[in-house]
Amino acid sequence: MHPLDVVKTRFQIQRGKTDPTNYRSLGDCFRTISRTEGLFGFYKGILPPILAETPKRAVKFFTFEQYKKLLGYATLPPGLTFAVAGLGSGLTEAVVVNPFEVVKVSLQANRNVFTEQPSTFSQARQIIKTNGLGFQGLNRGLTATLGRHGVFNMVYFGFYFNVKNIIPVNKDPPLEFLRKFGIGLVSGTIASIINIPFDVAKSRIQGPQPIPGETKYRTCFKTMATVYKEEGFLALYKGLVPKIMRLGPGGAVMLLVYEYAYAWLQENCPFGFPDGVRY
């Protein structure tokens, strides 16, 4: 699914329609990258997600369960509990993944042929050498990443588990699988639509600035306001189509794997589960 992420980022860092290098459409973007950067151009920035994906997903689902357990002591309605636990897991996940995102976006924004661009580790070293580890360096755009992941997980988990509890369980395993997949697909799609302004802000902050040496995009909400003022409301939804194409089905698969793996572990884990962990 990474080529869709590259295309999404390219659209999000475009400013206005007057630039002759802008991509006119989704198909034009795919054709241009293929022609000028080669097949491997679609895999720019692939190493940071590979390195981050396992700890990122582990943090997402582990913290979701822990926040859900803690919220069990509060008097929140069950439906709200899922959403708040999702918000907490997204904020925690964002802190873990943000440095990887900074490196990934800087590589994805590079339009050189794949063989001419810097390696992941040299790019990371350059960012640290130039701007350090803080909010101007390897943790640039943290507030936008917090918003992106917090909002996504809040909607993603909140919608999925609430709707799943409303729609009756189907006794036929294939139909039950399709029920969960459909709810997961809608969850990932709705979450992507709602959180994409944060995603655009993150790409603008972490990507190349309009004028080298000058920082135009600094904070999350100020960046959103600037994009809205200069490019219009729809600019906050740049890259939405490839994002939905990636995270709609991807989100469904992720939740299904989580649910079935979790159920299997509950039944087969030789060490058992402590009291209060089952849901």
Side-chain angles (χ1 to χ4, degrees), residues 20-153:
T21 64
N22 277 359
Y23 304 110
R24 297 187 300 274
S25 65
L26 190 64
D28 178 55
C29 185
F30 274 103
R31 286 191 298 270
T32 302
I33 293 175
S34 176
R35 184 178 66 252
T36 61
E37 303 171 46
L39 177 63
F40 288 111
F42 292 108
Y43 292 90
K44 287 181 174 179
I46 185 65
L47 189 56
I50 289 175
L51 295 174
E53 201 64 22
T54 298
K56 172 185 173 181
R57 301 309 180 192
V59 167
K60 176 196 287 285
F61 289 105
F62 174 75
T63 56
F64 173 69
E65 291 295 341
Q66 299 310 307
Y67 286 128
K68 192 168 63 172
K69 183 178 179 181
L70 288 172
L71 290 168
Y73 297 105
T75 56
L76 295 175
L80 184 59
T81 297
F82 292 119
V84 175
L87 174 63
S89 74
L91 296 176
T92 308
E93 177 188 34
V95 174
V96 174
V97 79
N98 192 66
F100 296 92
E101 287 289 317
V102 171
V103 178
K104 184 196 76 172
V105 170
S106 65
L107 290 171
Q108 289 179 339
N110 188 317
R111 294 198 181 194
N112 293 334
V113 178
F114 185 83
T115 54
E116 296 178 359
Q117 77 165 23
S119 70
T120 296
F121 293 106
S122 63
Q123 184 73 9
R125 284 195 297 268
Q126 182 60 35
I127 292 171
I128 295 170
K129 181 180 178 181
T130 306
N131 296 306
L133 298 169
F135 297 131
Q136 296 302 316
L138 207 58
N139 271 293
R140 186 167 66 246
L142 177 60
T143 54
T145 306
L146 287 168
R148 185 181 79 154
H149 287 260
V151 170
F152 183 90
N153 283 3

Side-chain angles (χ1 to χ4, degrees), residues 40-271:
F40 288 111
F42 292 108
Y43 292 90
K44 287 181 174 179
I46 185 65
L47 189 56
I50 289 175
L51 295 174
E53 201 64 22
T54 298
K56 172 185 173 181
R57 301 309 180 192
V59 167
K60 176 196 287 285
F61 289 105
F62 174 75
T63 56
F64 173 69
E65 291 295 341
Q66 299 310 307
Y67 286 128
K68 192 168 63 172
K69 183 178 179 181
L70 288 172
L71 290 168
Y73 297 105
T75 56
L76 295 175
L80 184 59
T81 297
F82 292 119
V84 175
L87 174 63
S89 74
L91 296 176
T92 308
E93 177 188 34
V95 174
V96 174
V97 79
N98 192 66
F100 296 92
E101 287 289 317
V102 171
V103 178
K104 184 196 76 172
V105 170
S106 65
L107 290 171
Q108 289 179 339
N110 188 317
R111 294 198 181 194
N112 293 334
V113 178
F114 185 83
T115 54
E116 296 178 359
Q117 77 165 23
S119 70
T120 296
F121 293 106
S122 63
Q123 184 73 9
R125 284 195 297 268
Q126 182 60 35
I127 292 171
I128 295 170
K129 181 180 178 181
T130 306
N131 296 306
L133 298 169
F135 297 131
Q136 296 302 316
L138 207 58
N139 271 293
R140 186 167 66 246
L142 177 60
T143 54
T145 306
L146 287 168
R148 185 181 79 154
H149 287 260
V151 170
F152 183 90
N153 283 3
M154 178 177 67
V155 177
Y156 182 60
F157 284 117
F159 184 90
Y160 179 78
F161 285 103
N162 279 292
V163 172
K164 194 186 74 166
N165 290 335
I166 294 172
I167 299 177
V169 175
N170 200 303
K171 294 181 180 180
D172 184 14
L175 293 178
E176 174 62 11
F177 178 89
L178 289 175
R179 180 184 79 99
K180 291 181 177 179
F181 183 86
I183 300 170
L185 178 66
V186 175
S187 299
T189 301
I190 293 176
S192 297
I193 293 171
I194 293 175
N195 90 324
I196 195 167
F198 292 96
D199 202 1
V200 171
K202 184 188 82 69
S203 294
R204 293 295 179 94
I205 295 168
Q206 294 177 346
Q209 299 295 308
I211 302 175
E214 294 184 16
T215 304
K216 178 177 181 178
Y217 304 111
R218 293 181 180 273
T219 61
C220 177
F221 291 105
K222 187 175 179 180
T223 298
M224 286 186 193
T226 301
V227 172
Y228 172 75
K229 181 180 178 181
E230 295 181 353
E231 303 170 44
F233 177 74
L234 292 179
L236 293 171
Y237 289 84
K238 285 185 175 181
L240 179 60
V241 173
K243 182 180 175 75
I244 288 176
M245 290 171 66
R246 183 171 71 94
L247 289 178
V253 170
M254 185 163 56
L255 277 170
L256 284 171
V257 171
Y258 165 70
E259 282 225 45
Y260 285 108
Y262 191 77
W264 184 88
L265 287 169
Q266 283 186 315
E267 294 176 1
N268 299 280
C269 181
F271 305 106

